[in-house]
Amino acid sequence: MEYRYKGANEKMRNALARVSPGTPLRDGIDRVVRAKAGALLVLSDEPDVLSICSGGFLVDAPYSPQRLSELAKMDGAIIISNKGGRIARANVHLVPDPTVPTSETGTRHRTAERVARSLDVPVVSASEEMGVINVYAGGEKRQLQEVGHLLERANQALQTLERYKTKLDDGINNLTAVEVEDVATLRDVVAVVQRGEMVHRVADEIETMIIELGIDARLLRLQLDELYEEIDDELDLVVADYMPADKTAEQAMSDMSELSDDDVLNLRVTADVLGRAGDNDDLTQEVAPKGLRFLRRVKRLDVNIADAVANHFGGLAKMQRATLDDLMSVEGVDEAMARSIRDTLTRITESTILDQY
């Protein structure tokens, strides 16, 4: 499944994928740790990386876990090709920009962070005494965890995701009910978007754990895909139903991903992101949906025609009262399509009312 959440650090995820369990690179790193040896690996042999290398020797040999563990017995850094298929150099001294800030104290980890930040390349460091493996990429640091502990954390996160998903479903069902009755408020809409963003954030963290777990995450992947299925499309339609003309749903969801957790939980801040900055003092005010979310449930209805229908009637309430002739007056809507739209809207209304009782 493809995740569109904008908060993910893709460079870090790519680096984690390269060192996940089951990969040759992780096998080599684990051998180094088991041998109580340290290692500093730069996962790029671009000219910028080679320009800060001093001393050492040229290897230019196919990568293998055995070669890596043997070369790590020397103190210097090891340069591995971008695709991981070759060991370029070994026992080199790295001279990164000393002005690059770092929070690390150990020499190996400090050098690793400075190289990663200054050259924007993935770097892995393994400490000799503690056996701690750190990955630096995309301006972030992530300490690799033992598989069992990471699986436990991921399962706890899945339980959290399930709770948030239940709250989101309840919010969407409530929004549908008030939309049918034409009494939706800004608070109803904001609550759905807010819960959707929290689902995105938890799912995003689980996705990163799955990448880090590699071959050990098959069951987690199935569980996440089942929970996360179709959330993006549903939220996009909720947002699109209430967005002003000068902002798209995609822009709004991207802006939401950049908020802090505290701001996401603030209903008024979320209302601002939805383009309702002038309305956020009154979250109880009634708002009217365009009806796009309901129209999406009409089978074989083209997206452009759905937009044309929504724009023609200017709101769900008028669309619900439309006759077949009214619907057929929209360009591209024939009698069969008009009947399908009307039947779908009627079915949604009736099922929603029945669910309430």
Side-chain angles (χ1 to χ4, degrees):
M1 179 179 293
E2 179 182 356
Y3 296 89
R4 296 181 297 160
Y5 185 72
K6 302 298 190 299
N9 185 333
E10 290 304 321
K11 291 182 179 179
M12 174 58 78
R13 284 184 172 180
N14 291 336
L16 290 174
R18 293 180 65 178
V19 298
S20 62
T23 62
L25 189 53
R26 180 59 174 269
D27 186 8
I29 295 171
D30 286 342
R31 286 170 179 262
V32 172
V33 171
R34 287 197 297 269
K36 301 295 183 181
L40 176 56
L41 314 177
V42 182
L43 309 185
S44 172
D45 59 350
E46 294 293 331
D48 285 348
V49 173
L50 300 181
S51 69
I52 65 167
C53 294
S54 174
F57 55 88
L58 180 68
V59 179
D60 194 25
Y63 171 86
S64 72
Q66 295 81 2
R67 281 197 177 98
L68 181 65
S69 61
E70 288 298 320
L71 292 171
K73 293 177 181 178
M74 296 178 285
D75 290 335
I78 300 172
I79 310 300
I80 298 176
S81 65
N82 289 4
K83 295 184 179 179
R86 301 188 70 78
I87 299 176
R89 298 190 182 188
N91 197 32
V92 300
H93 176 61
L94 297 174
V95 190
D97 183 353
T99 64
V100 175
T102 174
S103 59
E104 299 289 0
T105 54
T107 302
R108 181 179 285 119
H109 296 304
R110 186 167 61 245
T111 301
E113 185 171 25
R114 280 185 170 147
V115 171
R117 287 184 179 275
S118 61
L119 301 182
D120 196 21
V121 294
V123 182
V124 179
S125 65
S127 63
E128 187 172 345
E129 296 182 1
M130 302 296 293
V132 173
I133 304 171
N134 289 332
V135 178
Y136 303 87
E140 293 183 4
K141 164 191 169 182
R142 192 175 183 95
Q143 181 178 320
L144 298 187
Q145 301 179 40
E146 190 270 329
V147 169
H149 178 63
L150 192 56
L151 280 170
E152 183 180 348
R153 281 190 56 213
N155 282 315
Q156 291 174 348
L158 274 172
Q159 294 174 13
T160 301
L161 177 62
E162 192 167 4
R163 291 195 296 271
Y164 275 121
K165 175 66 163 49
T166 298
K167 291 181 179 180
L168 174 60
D169 290 340
D170 290 343
I172 290 176
N173 290 336
N174 174 70
L175 181 61
T176 300
V178 294
E179 285 177 341
V180 164
E181 297 178 2
D182 195 22
V183 291
T185 66
L186 183 56
R187 183 183 297 275
D188 297 321
V189 179
V190 170
V192 169
V193 177
Q194 180 189 68
R195 293 173 185 178
E197 177 62 21
M198 296 308 297
V199 167
H200 278 318
R201 295 188 179 207
V202 177
D204 179 65
E205 181 60 28
I206 297 172
E207 174 69 12
T208 301
M209 293 180 190
I210 287 174
I211 292 171
E212 184 176 342
L213 282 164
I215 60 174
D216 296 315
R218 295 187 184 93
L219 182 57
L220 285 173
R221 164 62 65 199
L222 293 174
Q223 292 175 290
L224 178 60
D225 286 352
E226 182 179 5
L227 283 172
Y228 202 78
E229 187 177 10
E230 297 181 354
I231 285 179
D232 274 332
D233 289 341
E234 187 76 6
L235 284 174
D236 280 352
L237 291 170
V238 169
V239 174
D241 258 342
Y242 295 93
M243 286 298 298
D246 60 345
K247 192 172 187 179
T248 66
E250 184 177 357
Q251 289 173 326
M253 296 310 295
S254 178
D255 291 344
M256 283 293 296
S257 71
E258 296 175 2
L259 296 178
S260 66
D261 289 345
D262 288 340
D263 283 341
V264 170
L265 297 175
N266 188 319
L267 293 174
R268 288 183 169 81
V269 173
T270 302
D272 288 348
V273 173
L274 294 178
R276 315 292 301 225
D279 304 330
N280 63 10
D281 287 335
D282 183 13
L283 294 173
T284 62
Q285 65 177 289
E286 292 189 1
V287 290
K290 299 172 186 175
L292 293 171
R293 189 163 63 94
F294 284 31
L295 288 172
R296 184 58 62 88
R297 301 185 191 182
V298 180
K299 293 181 179 178
R300 295 183 293 278
L301 180 62
D302 182 81
V303 173
N304 292 327
I305 294 179
D307 288 340
V309 172
N311 291 332
H312 178 82
F313 290 101
L316 176 62
K318 291 183 179 179
M319 197 187 308
Q320 288 176 305
R321 296 192 297 267
T323 64
L324 286 179
D325 289 339
D326 294 334
L327 291 167
M328 290 170 60
S329 66
V330 180
E331 184 177 355
V333 178
D334 56 19
E335 182 177 353
M337 184 58 67
R339 195 175 300 279
S340 181
I341 292 173
R342 193 182 66 174
D343 291 347
T344 299
L345 294 177
T346 300
R347 184 175 63 254
I348 294 173
T349 300
E350 291 176 349
S351 64
T352 302
I353 293 174
L354 286 174
D355 288 341
Q356 289 180 285
Y357 298 99

